[in-house]
Amino acid sequence: MQGYVHGGVKGKEGLVFKDNLEEPRPGKGEVKIRLRAAGLNHRDLSVPTRRSNGDPDVILGSDGAGIISEVGEGVQSVKVGDEVLINPGIGWKENAAAPPEGFQIVGFPGDGTFAESIVLPEENAIQKPSSLSFEVAASYGIAALTAYRALFTRGQLKSDQTVFIPGIGGGVATFLLQFAKAIGARVIVSSRSEEKRKKALDLGADLALSNEDDWTNVAKEEKVDLVIESVGAATINRSLDLLRSGGTLVIFGSSTGDTAEINLRAFFYGQYNFLGSTMGSADEFSAMLDFVTNHSIEPIIDASYELGQIENAFNHLAEAKQFGKIVITM
Ligand SMILES: NC(=O)c1ccc[n+]([C@@H]2O[C@H](COP(=O)([O-])OP(=O)(O)OC[C@H]3O[C@@H](n4cnc5c(N)ncnc54)[C@H](OP(=O)(O)O)[C@@H]3O)[C@@H](O)[C@H]2O)c1
């Protein structure tokens, strides 16, 4: 079968499109999904940089949707022919403060969705609402799940509050904006790109800051209750400056660097809450699906590529030109 793998050489040099991959077979409690679409995430760029020279091939990709083509022994929740989307978190069922030991994300260390087929535990194959196309269904995955937990479970955003989302062009960030506006909260965003700021305003953002602006000056009338950070080192201090005393900053990513210097005195005088968040449980995945269905929230799809053109999709993501999700079709 065809698929996009990483192996042999650390970094993006180890990425190769292959057409002679072995077809996977489902074991007990597993299903094989004939993939029809997959979604890209920032993670697909970072996994190759975290692997070593000589590592074996792994098929990348965490998000996807397709049709059940084979079921292993004992599978009951789905049958051959069912249309499903993938919950990309393996081994985290109930909501909890943190994922249990052994929690994994589809697409490393196990094989992922940038291929014609994938085998997963049956509980990761969720019935696809028939109203959703495969491309749309494949675009929720990691991004929508992460946004849901960060905003509601961790951030506890309420409709009368204001949330600040830096780096609005990102796949998770666009879901954050859509989810926060769906409950009626006030949303401030930032982006380096004028085009992305305009798109965010069209999508309902109340205020869009340029990275060149002095944020505290432009937003001095605002009372930001919650910041959802993922840009990391490049924006974390500027984001904290916007937060009202006693407010909460939730961080789930660090695209521009893992380390940052924070003024501790200003932090404790500000009585801030600083919370980490990552992915979400299977319960949160279904709550997220109910939420997007009830509020008719569809992912913003920036671009779609065929599996054979996946290298172009990776370049598109690496250049950070997208607004929303990039999708692969099979
Ligand atoms: N913990 C988890 O469970 C989890 C889940 C999903 C993602 N993540 C992490 O969260 C981050 C975002 O993920 P994603 O998939 O949404 O990423 P993405 O689609 O690649 O978006 C990243 C955004 O960050 C902003 N950005 C990038 N470089 C920047 C710079 N030098 N200065 C300022 N802003 C910059 C850009 O926004 P503008 O162009 O608008 O400025 C860009 O669109 C990544 O680090 C990812 O690894 C973590």
Side-chain angles (χ1 to χ4, degrees), residues 40-43 45-46 105 142-143 146 166-174 190-193 196 211 229-231 234-235 251-256 277-280 317 320-325:
L40 254 73
N41 291 289
H42 201 92
R43 181 175 193 270
L45 298 177
S46 65
I105 301 173
I142 284 191
T146 304
I168 195 59
V172 186
T174 32
S190 77
S191 177
R192 298 162 298 172
S193 143
K196 290 184 190 183
N211 280 30
E229 253 292 344
S230 65
V231 179
T235 51
I251 182 160
F252 66 85
S254 50
S255 297
T256 58
S277 192
T278 199
M279 296 278 290
L317 185 68
K321 287 200 182 129
Q322 81 285 2
F323 184 87
K325 298 294 298 178

Side-chain angles (χ1 to χ4, degrees), residues 18-70:
K18 293 198 169 174
D19 59 9
N20 58 353
L21 297 170
E22 205 177 313
E23 283 278 344
R25 296 293 312 276
K28 194 172 173 191
E30 292 181 330
V31 297
K32 179 172 173 180
I33 303 165
R34 173 90 188 154
L35 288 156
R36 297 288 304 277
L40 254 73
N41 291 289
H42 201 92
R43 181 175 193 270
D44 305 311
L45 298 177
S46 65
V47 165
T49 65
R50 286 189 268 135
R51 303 190 76 219
S52 306
N53 289 335
D55 276 354
D57 282 354
V58 62
I59 300 169
L60 298 180
S62 306
D63 296 344
I67 301 170
I68 301 283
S69 59
E70 203 178 333

Side-chain angles (χ1 to χ4, degrees), residues 162-177:
T162 299
V163 59
F164 173 57
I165 308 163
I168 195 59
V172 186
T174 32
F175 279 119
L176 287 166
L177 167 57

Side-chain angles (χ1 to χ4, degrees), residues 179-200:
F179 292 1
K181 286 316 298 180
I183 66 159
R186 182 167 172 79
V187 180
I188 304 172
V189 304
S190 77
S191 177
R192 298 162 298 172
S193 143
E194 189 180 350
E195 196 188 337
K196 290 184 190 183
R197 292 195 295 276
K198 191 177 170 314
K199 283 185 179 167

